[in-house]
Amino acid sequence: MREFIPPAARFVDLPAGFPLHRGGTLNGARIAYETVGRLSEARDNAILILTGLSPDAHAASHPADTAPGWWEAMVGPGKPVDTDRWYVICVNSLGSCKGSTGPASVDPASGRPYGLDFPELAMEDIADAAAHTVRALGVERLACVIGTSMGGMSALSLLARHPGLARSHMNICGAARSLPFSIAVRSLQREVIRFDPQWNRGRYDAERYPQRGMLTARKLGMMTYRSPQEWESRFGRTRIAPDRRPDTDPFGPAFEVEGYLDCHAHRFSRRFDPNSYLYLTRCMDQFDLGDSCGGTVEDALGRMRLERALVIGVETDLLFPLRQQRQIADGLAAGGPDVEFLALDSQQGHDAFLTDTDRFGVPIAKFLTAL
């Protein structure tokens, strides 16, 4: 087990005995965050970014860390999320391995990594920890909370559990609950990790590490993050050149698409803690905004106190299909705020907000400019 903490990460301590939605508490826990831009004297220009499953809090480069961030094309001076105007807070989710307390962190009670002793995690916990971080930074009301992918879930939970914390909301490729297909995919991802003998019920180290399970889990994920249309246009049936194929495995990668999945999975597999992967994907599966609020999804969305919202989905998204973003937009609009819904025709599937940034940048900039 290992944490991967960006060099410029800063930390907010959670209160002692931080209560968790499904029972249990955390002591000595913290949330990692980074900020870009400057908070105004009125403290009214703060934007919170809640991330997908794997990103850290380093959304964009800044003087303390000049390395490109995971949303570098979107956040910064003169960019769609313009840090000449906005004070941007990006937090790493509770339960992750990128600085916030999670299964890879040291349990103060035992002095060793939590592993499976980490309490059951819920999206509500991620939302509450993010809300505590915002307030600890002296912000009582956000101009906007932006949630991408899994962050769209945690953003909705935050808005429901902390009414009035944000004036506006931008939900990008998000969902108010998980659908059976995405649950099934994530269930398989967890299974291949758990069935790797090196996983050892969550007690592994660098030498005895569930590499094969992590590789397969990531490949399954990548197959849903992009679209069949992109696979076709990008790779077709192009084969790997014979001199690039290993001679030892007659059933190894033969097509370029296989090589791409293999290369990407190898880059990821040692950069994310397997137990964190299990906890966060399970957390996504269990999230249902309606259940969390004691009613239906539509009721929960309609009660949110917002002035404006922008909901963006992608027509080729397999993992969080477009009807889920439409449900969010319709539900929010029923509560009275000005809601804009956009269905983008990008071929790049769920990950389009990371890869097709030109297409996303225009509506994001337009929305924030009008705030």
Side-chain angles (χ1 to χ4, degrees):
M1 286 166 278
R2 183 183 164 199
E3 295 182 279
F4 308 91
I5 305 174
R10 298 156 68 189
F11 303 96
V12 163
D13 292 332
L14 295 178
F18 183 77
L20 299 178
H21 184 68
R22 302 188 188 279
T25 59
L26 285 173
N27 289 297
R30 68 183 188 178
I31 295 298
Y33 73 95
E34 291 189 24
T35 63
V36 190
R38 179 174 296 181
L39 186 62
S40 66
E41 289 187 10
R43 298 178 179 270
D44 60 356
N45 69 328
I47 289 177
L48 173 67
I49 297 179
L50 298 172
T51 77
L53 171 68
S54 59
D56 53 30
H58 186 60
S61 57
H62 52 86
D65 184 356
T66 58
W70 62 265
W71 222 20
E72 184 72 22
M74 304 297 289
V75 178
K79 295 179 181 178
V81 184
D82 188 352
T83 53
D84 285 335
R85 177 185 180 190
W86 301 111
Y87 176 68
V88 177
I89 306 165
C90 184
V91 300
N92 179 233
S93 299
L94 182 67
S96 183
C97 55
K98 303 293 182 71
S100 295
T101 297
S105 306
V106 173
D107 179 357
S110 67
R112 65 178 187 175
Y114 279 101
L116 299 193
D117 291 331
F118 194 76
E120 186 174 3
L121 184 69
M123 200 63 66
E124 292 84 353
D125 305 322
I126 295 174
D128 289 348
H132 174 81
T133 302
V134 167
R135 293 182 175 120
L137 294 177
V139 176
E140 292 301 320
R141 197 172 193 210
L142 294 159
C144 187
V145 56
I146 300 175
T148 61
S149 186
M150 184 189 85
M153 292 179 161
S154 55
L156 292 176
S157 184
L158 181 147
L159 293 167
R161 295 172 67 80
H162 302 271
L165 185 58
R167 300 200 314 268
S168 68
H169 173 44
M170 194 183 304
N171 199 290
I172 301 173
C173 298
R177 60 183 176 184
S178 286
L179 295 178
F181 173 75
S182 58
I183 292 172
V185 171
R186 288 192 288 267
S187 176
L188 286 174
Q189 291 175 297
R190 291 190 298 273
E191 184 174 310
V192 295
I193 292 172
R194 292 185 296 110
F195 285 9
D196 187 318
Q198 302 297 324
W199 180 65
N200 190 30
R201 293 200 56 79
R203 293 293 175 190
Y204 45 81
D205 55 31
E207 288 71 38
R208 297 175 298 279
Y209 183 84
Q211 175 81 351
R212 177 47 54 192
M214 283 294 285
L215 289 173
T216 304
R218 189 59 174 178
K219 289 178 183 181
L220 284 167
M222 284 300 300
M223 289 171 63
T224 64
Y225 299 156
R226 303 301 178 91
S227 74
Q229 294 93 323
E230 185 187 3
W231 297 127
E232 176 67 26
S233 62
R234 184 172 180 180
F235 299 108
R237 288 182 51 82
T238 304
R239 294 179 179 270
I240 299 173
D243 61 346
R244 290 172 47 214
R245 291 188 60 190
D247 297 329
T248 56
D249 185 358
F251 297 101
F255 292 89
E256 288 287 353
V257 67
E258 295 177 279
Y260 171 80
L261 289 174
D262 199 52
C263 179
H264 186 93
H266 273 90
R267 287 202 307 267
F268 177 85
S269 65
R270 291 274 181 166
R271 297 295 300 167
F272 203 86
D273 177 61
N275 286 338
S276 289
Y277 207 99
L278 299 178
Y279 272 83
L280 288 171
T281 58
R282 184 66 165 175
C283 171
M284 294 171 71
D285 289 351
Q286 292 180 328
F287 179 63
D288 185 310
L289 183 66
D291 287 349
S292 178
C293 297
T296 67
V297 166
E298 288 72 21
D299 289 341
L301 291 167
R303 291 196 296 266
M304 290 185 179
R305 289 164 47 188
L306 292 169
E307 298 172 7
R308 298 189 63 210
L310 172 63
V311 183
I312 305 178
V314 177
E315 293 178 354
T316 57
D317 193 338
L318 296 176
L319 193 62
F320 288 62
L322 192 61
R323 68 181 184 275
Q324 294 197 283
Q325 292 88 56
R326 193 181 301 276
Q327 179 187 40
I328 294 170
D330 290 346
L332 291 175
D338 179 14
V339 179
E340 181 180 4
F341 170 67
L342 291 177
L344 300 184
D345 63 356
S346 172
Q347 289 195 358
Q348 297 181 34
H350 181 69
D351 267 2
F353 70 92
L354 295 171
T355 58
D356 200 354
T357 51
D358 288 343
R359 199 180 301 265
F360 277 81
V362 172
I364 289 174
K366 181 181 177 182
F367 178 81
L368 292 177
T369 299
L371 290 184

